[in-house]
Each structure stands twice: as structure tokens, then as C-alpha cells.
Amino acid sequence: MYDFAYHRPKSVADAIGLLKGKTEARVMSGGMTLIPTLKQRLARPSDVVDLGGVKELAGIKVEGNNVVIGGMTRHADVASSADVKAAIPALAYLAGHIGDPQVRNRGTMGGSVANNDPAADYPGAVVALNATVSTNTRKIAADDFFKGLFETALAEGELITGISFPKAEKAAYMKFPNPASRYAMVGVFVAKTAAGVRVAVTGAGATVFRVKAMEEALSKNFSSAAIKDIKIPADGLNSDIHGSAEYRAHLVGVMARRAVDAANK
Amino acid sequence: MTISVAMTVNGKSVSGKVEARTLLVQFLREHLGMTGTHVGCDTSQCGACVVHVDGKSIKSCTILAVQAEGSKVTTIEGLAESADKLHPMQEAFRENHALQCGFCTPGMVMSAIDMVKRHNYQLDEATVRRELEGNLCRCTGYHNIVKAILAAAPAMKSAGV
């Protein structure tokens, strides 16, 4: 790891101030991606701004029909939260299946969403539940947030402060984990909320995407039978040593049907 | 960048000067000379480096020493009450022959203790196997590790640890 200047601000305002004018600075939340990246010398930031001391960013609140989760909330805290389990059990399930227990004790929701790894789990929940991402400057709708491979709508020096998830009438997440890394080869989050039915796929493409054909079919009939004949085109899907694009396309269908069945239980 | 850090390790206040990039595991092993915590893969996967920071199991190869500033750290060296009285988890590992080469053992023991506490001393085999996801044993000696953890859970409860 190359050395860097380390900062540990106590507030969002201080963190933003520290980032100003430092084009080579990186923000660290849980560090579960950043530290391994630094260790491999794949990044060389001049400064690391550690959000670990910013208490205002961590926590879970229920506000009306929404569960609002702070950017620095750890995966383990989302997984074990009574509020999340009661309002959106599928979200607690998802958080409890990220990485391993030690990663869940450090990794954060804001960090995962801001990093937008194509195989990350949270983007599926953010899009399927039509969540709203709050930053220090604005609110961003889920459909406008994820832009591409490791790319989001966040501007330089903009931090995720929290994510607001509308409660779901029915929801479930099913992932086919890579047997070694446990990252999602394919993960499908299916949700039926006041805004309608959404199907969001992670792991299969460059970034999370929706399957409109499944959403339409499920809006009429929320059962796995309703989507059994929907084929996902393999064009543009990820293809690597773990699985071909065709294999991932097939898995999207399988995981979507399992998610619908789980949501109906 | 050199930074002063101070934390509590196994109940003792420690401090030192580290670089910003110094990992917690390097601070423990190279600055404090506490080599019980191992580095297996250095890529956050194997779990040989697991320690507790403020009561939670974490991989000490994937946290900077400066991030543990002011924290309470417990390592494998901090578990046994005395030279002849092991922690119930260590005792269960010995009783059940839950190690072959022993390299992964410190991390296994630290993860196992956190697991038992989080599950309120009640575990079944499937839960133990799933919870061990972040710890690799290259001797593939998982069977006896699982047996040891299942045996240690009630022992920890009756010992009140």
C-alpha cells in the first residue's frame, strides 16, 4: 500500500471541507473494498477521509412508510435491526448475506452503494424498492443513481448521507453466489410496493438493471408461473471464468422465479 | 504520514507511532510483538487475522491501525485466564482436535467466540457452518472445528464468558 494522508472528520460538514480541492482524495466508509484495493496498489489516493468517526451518518429510523438507513450503517446492523426485519425483511436478509460475518461488521450500506460494484447486493434492493438516495446536497431517485460499471450519479466531493426505502407489500432477494468469493454471480430483488412491481438484477451486467417484461407480467399476476417463459437476452451480460453471459442470463430467470416464490411465502 | 495511535489491547493500554497505511494486524504483530494473530491470505478472505474490535469480530488485515484508535481490541493472546486455564473455546478446540497445522486456529477461535455470543449461546450445525464463511482452513479440518464450536457454546454459557 502506498502511504497517504489520513483524516478522521467528526461531521459531514468537516468531511466535505476536507475533500475540497483534493482531487486525488478518497472517502473511506467501511473500507471493505478500498483497503484491499489500496493493498494491491490499484489506487494511490493522496488523502483518505475516513467517515468512521461521523456518528450522524449511522443509524436506522422508521419515518412513516419508509425505512431510512444512514450511509455509515454496517451490514450487520441492517441484518439484525428489528425495524428493518419488521418493515422490509428482504432487505435484512440481503444485508445478512453480504460477504462474511467479519465483512458485515465493517462494511456499510453507503460505501457499497457509492462503490457500485457490479456484483454488489445492495443496488438490487435500492432499485427494486425504488429507494431514494440522500446526499449532502440532494436526493437522487434509484433509477437515476446507478450509471454504469463502478459509476454513479455522485459528483466529486458528494457523500451519501442515507437511503430511504419504501416499505414493501411483498419482497424477496435471491442470489446465486460465486462459490468462492460469495459475490453475486446473479442476484434478483423482486418487490411489490405502492409504486408497483419491480425486478432488479445485480451481478449479471455492468451495473444493476430492471427487467421490464417481468415487471409487467408480475403486475398482472404476482406468481413465478407468470414469468416462467420470459427469456433474458445474453447480449451485454458479464462473461468471465465463473460463468458465461448465457449462463448468467439463464440464472436471472431462475433467481427471479425463486424470489417471487419467496416473496409469496 | 506518521500518526500516534492509542488503544486498549487485551485490557492493556498501548500506543505507538504508525504510518497511515499500517494495518491493525501489522501494528499488533510488528509493533507490539503479538504474533498470535496470523496473516494468511492478506486479501481479506481467509480469516486467520480475525480479532475483536469493541466486541465485534473483524479481519485485522483489512482495517488500518489508525481506524482502531481508542478501541478495545481482543486478540487470541487475551482469551485464556491463565497459563493453565484456557478459554472454553480454546479448550473445546483442544478436546475435539479442531486443528491440524494450526495456522487458521487463532482466527477460527476469535470468529467462533463472536458467533456463539451473537447467537446467544444457541447454535446448530448449519448455522456454525454458514457463520464460518469468512474463515478458511487449508487442511480442510472443518468437521472437528464445527464440533468444537458446538461443544464450546454451552461451556461458554456456564462459564459466563
Side-chain angles (χ1 to χ4, degrees):
Chain A
M1 195 185 312
Y2 298 110
D3 207 18
F4 46 81
Y6 173 82
H7 311 274
R8 193 176 170 85
K10 292 253 183 294
S11 68
V12 172
D14 287 352
I16 301 298
L18 282 163
L19 288 167
K20 244 187 206 116
K22 297 190 183 87
T23 54
E24 298 299 314
R26 290 289 287 270
V27 176
M28 177 161 71
S29 47
M32 293 297 99
T33 300
L34 182 60
I35 292 177
T37 305
L38 295 178
K39 283 163 72 170
Q40 292 181 75
R41 295 191 167 179
L42 292 172
R44 189 176 194 169
S46 59
D47 298 72
V48 169
V49 178
D50 176 10
L51 300 181
V54 184
K55 297 279 174 272
E56 63 189 286
L57 285 178
I60 297 166
K61 288 179 295 199
V62 177
E63 290 177 356
N65 200 39
N66 294 279
V67 180
V68 183
I69 302 178
M72 277 298 291
T73 311
R74 316 270 177 192
H75 306 323
D77 295 329
V78 176
S80 63
S81 158
D83 284 339
V84 178
K85 281 188 200 167
I88 315 171
L91 185 60
Y93 173 91
L94 177 151
H97 286 76
I98 297 172
D100 57 49
Q102 290 73 38
V103 166
R104 295 195 285 274
N105 276 339
R106 294 292 305 166
T108 70
M109 176 178 282
S112 168
V113 170
N115 189 48
N116 194 21
D117 188 300
D121 297 293
Y122 270 132
V126 172
V127 170
L129 291 163
N130 195 18
T132 304
V133 180
S134 294
T135 75
N136 52 307
T137 57
R138 56 186 171 144
K139 289 188 190 307
I140 307 168
D143 285 341
D144 301 328
F145 186 83
F146 302 101
K147 296 290 189 191
L149 190 72
F150 293 106
E151 200 189 332
T152 68
L154 291 172
E156 287 285 324
E158 187 175 13
L159 298 180
I160 294 178
T161 50
I163 302 176
S164 177
F165 294 91
K167 286 183 191 171
E169 192 188 312
K170 288 179 177 183
Y173 179 62
M174 281 291 141
K175 87 164 153 178
F176 190 91
N178 175 303
S181 75
R182 303 303 192 194
Y183 267 106
M185 295 263 292
V186 167
V188 179
F189 202 112
V190 173
K192 187 178 186 183
T193 65
V197 176
R198 283 180 167 227
V199 177
V201 178
T202 188
T207 187
V208 61
F209 62 88
R210 289 169 65 186
V211 185
K212 297 278 168 72
M214 287 185 178
E215 294 180 358
E216 279 162 27
L218 290 169
S219 303
K220 294 185 195 112
N221 173 14
F222 197 84
S223 77
S224 54
I227 54 171
K228 71 175 177 15
D229 296 325
I230 295 174
K231 295 268 178 285
I232 305 296
D235 296 348
L237 294 189
N238 299 334
S239 187
D240 53 31
I241 56 164
H242 307 300
S244 63
E246 290 73 20
Y247 183 61
R248 282 189 165 85
H250 173 72
L251 278 180
V252 173
V254 177
M255 291 300 116
R257 292 194 294 276
R258 286 186 191 172
V260 173
D261 286 339
N264 276 328
K265 264 185 195 148
Chain B
M1 181 181 184
T2 306
I3 309 174
S4 298
V5 286
M7 62 189 84
T8 308
V9 177
N10 299 332
K12 222 173 96 187
S13 294
V14 298
S15 60
K17 288 208 186 311
V18 297
E19 289 186 299
R21 62 179 170 175
T22 304
L23 299 167
L24 178 61
V25 72
Q26 292 172 311
F27 181 66
L28 293 170
R29 291 177 57 87
E30 295 162 25
H31 293 245
L32 303 179
M34 298 173 69
T35 53
T37 304
H38 290 172
V39 179
C41 67
D42 212 16
T43 55
S44 327
Q45 284 159 324
C46 81
C49 67
V50 171
V51 301
H52 297 175
V53 172
D54 295 327
K56 289 181 175 167
S57 67
I58 59 114
K59 290 179 174 172
S60 64
C61 81
T62 315
I63 176 174
L64 304 172
V66 286
Q67 288 179 278
E69 167 73 28
S71 298
K72 287 191 173 65
V73 178
T74 306
T75 71
I76 189 79
E77 290 98 334
L79 294 180
E81 229 171 80
S82 65
D84 9 270
K85 192 157 193 288
L86 294 174
H87 184 282
M89 187 62 75
Q90 293 172 308
E91 191 57 49
F93 267 60
R94 187 169 73 167
E95 277 297 311
N96 290 280
H97 189 61
L99 48 124
Q100 291 179 41
C101 85
F103 194 86
C104 72
T105 310
M108 286 284 180
V109 169
M110 299 311 288
S111 289
I113 291 171
D114 181 45
M115 173 198 314
V116 169
K117 289 183 177 172
R118 267 187 295 112
H119 289 273
N120 201 21
Y121 303 94
Q122 287 173 331
L123 287 163
D124 55 35
E125 187 186 329
T127 308
V128 173
R129 289 187 185 273
R130 188 172 107 75
E131 285 276 348
L132 279 180
E133 209 160 357
N135 291 81
L136 301 180
C137 166
R138 291 325 297 144
C139 310
T140 68
Y142 295 103
H143 239 54
N144 286 355
I145 292 171
V146 173
K147 258 165 65 185
I149 297 170
L150 289 169
M156 279 173 61
K157 191 175 185 182
S158 51
V161 292

